Amino acid sequence: MEIISHVVNDIKIAEIISDKTVIQSVQDGLDLLGDIYYQGFDKLIVYEKNITPEFFDLKTKIAGDILQKFSNYRVSLAIVGDFGKYESKSIRDFIFESNKAKHINFTGTLEDALNKLGN
């Protein structure tokens, strides 16, 4: 796993690059949150491909539990990926509502993620 640092409007954003699944469980999400938080990052970008597919099945509660941790620690998160493949109405609604609140963002590109997190 590699962390690439971006600075947008004086906001330090960590971008996680990996060939492997980085978030397999709630504990993995919490560990990643702690790691970037203690390295002085304000916000985090992670790619959908690096998150367990169970995250996107809301019945598992993995997404809710992980995103609650980010909210509690006031660390904004952008997940970059192609979310059009998810046909479940509940995940589509979840993504829509998350993007409205702006603390957790689901975006299609790194540029969109940096733009949302940098404002």
Side-chain angles (χ1 to χ4, degrees), residues 1-4 15-19 22 45 47 49-50:
M1 180 179 84
E2 178 184 358
I3 299 174
I4 296 176
E15 176 190 3
I16 304 301
I17 303 293
S18 179
D19 292 333
V22 176
I45 297 171
Y47 290 87
K49 67 179 183 177
N50 300 123

Side-chain angles (χ1 to χ4, degrees), residues 26-77:
V26 174
Q27 187 60 50
D28 291 342
L30 188 57
D31 291 346
L32 182 59
L33 171 64
D35 189 22
I36 64 114
Y37 182 80
Y38 288 111
Q39 290 188 48
F41 289 100
D42 302 307
K43 302 184 181 196
L44 174 67
I45 297 171
V46 67
Y47 290 87
E48 171 202 13
K49 67 179 183 177
N50 300 123
I51 301 173
T52 180
E54 285 79 24
F55 178 93
F56 299 96
D57 178 359
L58 297 182
K59 289 179 275 181
T60 67
K61 300 185 180 181
I62 294 173
D65 290 347
I66 289 173
L67 300 183
Q68 185 63 49
K69 303 285 187 210
F70 277 85
S71 187
N72 288 349
Y73 287 95
R74 294 187 172 101
V75 174
S76 294
L77 171 68

Side-chain angles (χ1 to χ4, degrees), residues 47-53 56 79-89 91-92 95:
Y47 290 87
E48 171 202 13
K49 67 179 183 177
N50 300 123
I51 301 173
T52 180
F56 299 96
I79 301 172
V80 177
D82 176 13
F83 304 104
K85 64 184 171 192
Y86 297 105
E87 297 177 6
S88 160
K89 181 174 175 0
I91 191 66
R92 287 179 182 260
I95 289 170

